[in-house]
Amino acid sequence: MSVRLLSVLVCTLLFAAALVHKTTPFQSAEGVESSEWGSRIGGDGPPQAKAMVAHLINTTLPCLAPYTIHVEDTESNEYYLRSAPDPLTVLRPPLKRTYIMYANPQLFDPSFGPDEAALDAIITHELNHILDYTHMNTLQLGEFGAMYALNYTFQVAYEHETDHRVLQLQKGTALAGYRAWIYSVLDAKERATKKVEYYTPAEIALWQRVNVGVYVNPCEHYFYNYTCIPCLYRI
């Protein structure tokens, strides 16, 4: 095995493991059989999250239907949602992997979390991460993981590109609603970080004014943009 290949494989595993660690998963007291949501949607995470994942795949991102996605609980209050390939499956071909979306149950508490439209938008964001992972072989996944972990400029560009997909699906107002909510529950330092890493409500509004009527579904027109064209809308 070449040094480059070994390095990429190690980065792949570290990338997936780091995302898993950040989310601090724990076992849910009540598991739900995956068959309730579809044969390829499982995990012990919030039932509302699984229902929304299933609905979005059926109505918006049908190209994800063949892939196995598990929703698991997380206690993280900084990353209420996070997605990653399962570290135990990253060496497999994309269709044979398991992809994990970690969701904090607090998101679905009506007395605390955002409204349903905002949840729809941010889960769409996470599903677009999973869509990207399905387009990467193991080497590409490792290279991506290394870039994301070691190059903050790339991380910011990538998260903006993912937001851009949500905007192109005409979910901008709902995404702005989620950002307004997340700002309200984070401390000042975390809030400032989010404003750098993702579209702000003001930037979303600017994008919407410039791109009236634009609709692009990544399942129909998949495009991965490393240069962050959407960052032109930074304010």
Side-chain angles (χ1 to χ4, degrees):
M1 180 181 291
S2 69
V3 173
R4 177 177 178 273
L5 177 58
L6 179 60
S7 299
V8 168
L9 292 178
V10 170
C11 286
T12 301
L13 293 170
L14 290 176
F15 165 63
L19 288 179
V20 170
H21 175 72
K22 272 190 175 184
T23 53
T24 321
F26 62 92
Q27 280 296 107
S28 173
E30 297 183 18
V32 177
E33 291 297 325
S34 62
S35 59
E36 183 176 350
W37 314 111
S39 61
R40 294 189 177 276
I41 298 175
D44 293 324
Q48 303 96 318
K50 285 188 277 190
M52 294 188 79
V53 166
H55 174 74
L56 283 164
I57 290 174
N58 287 334
T59 62
T60 307
L61 296 169
C63 55
L64 286 175
Y67 297 92
T68 300
I69 299 174
H70 285 182
V71 179
E72 304 291 355
D73 286 333
T74 175
E75 294 177 312
S76 174
N77 292 326
E78 181 179 2
Y79 295 98
Y80 283 87
L81 284 166
R82 194 90 174 178
S83 298
D86 184 337
L88 298 178
T89 68
V90 293
L91 300 183
R92 302 176 187 172
L95 199 57
K96 300 291 186 180
R97 297 182 196 135
T98 296
Y99 303 91
I100 305 177
M101 182 183 297
Y102 294 96
N104 189 320
Q106 289 182 302
L107 277 175
F108 304 94
D109 180 349
S111 66
F112 175 79
D115 63 30
E116 186 171 342
L119 287 169
D120 178 283
I122 196 60
I123 291 175
T124 299
H125 175 105
E126 292 303 318
L127 286 174
N128 271 283
H129 284 321
I130 292 174
L131 179 62
D132 284 335
Y133 303 149
T134 68
H135 279 78
M136 299 178 192
N137 61 33
T138 299
L139 291 176
Q140 291 167 332
L141 190 61
E143 291 171 348
F144 169 84
M147 286 285 288
Y148 192 95
L150 301 176
N151 186 332
Y152 188 65
T153 298
F154 174 83
Q155 178 185 335
V156 170
Y158 175 68
E159 292 296 349
H160 276 76
E161 169 62 18
T162 309
D163 270 355
H164 190 220
R165 298 237 193 99
V166 180
L167 301 184
Q168 289 180 318
L169 286 165
Q170 298 186 347
K171 296 176 183 284
T173 300
L175 184 62
Y178 180 80
R179 292 284 143 72
W181 173 81
I182 196 71
Y183 295 166
S184 74
V185 299
L186 296 176
D187 62 35
K189 181 178 179 180
E190 292 170 341
R191 186 163 55 249
T193 298
K194 296 294 186 189
K195 289 182 177 181
V196 171
E197 293 178 349
Y198 304 91
Y199 267 88
T200 66
E203 290 163 354
I204 290 171
L206 174 59
W207 188 94
Q208 289 176 312
R209 289 196 298 272
V210 175
N211 296 279
V212 175
V214 169
Y215 179 85
V216 179
N217 189 310
C219 281
E220 299 169 0
H221 304 283
Y222 181 79
F223 176 68
Y224 187 90
N225 173 30
Y226 287 92
T227 59
C228 194
I229 291 173
C231 292
L232 298 173
Y233 297 93
R234 298 292 297 277
I235 296 177

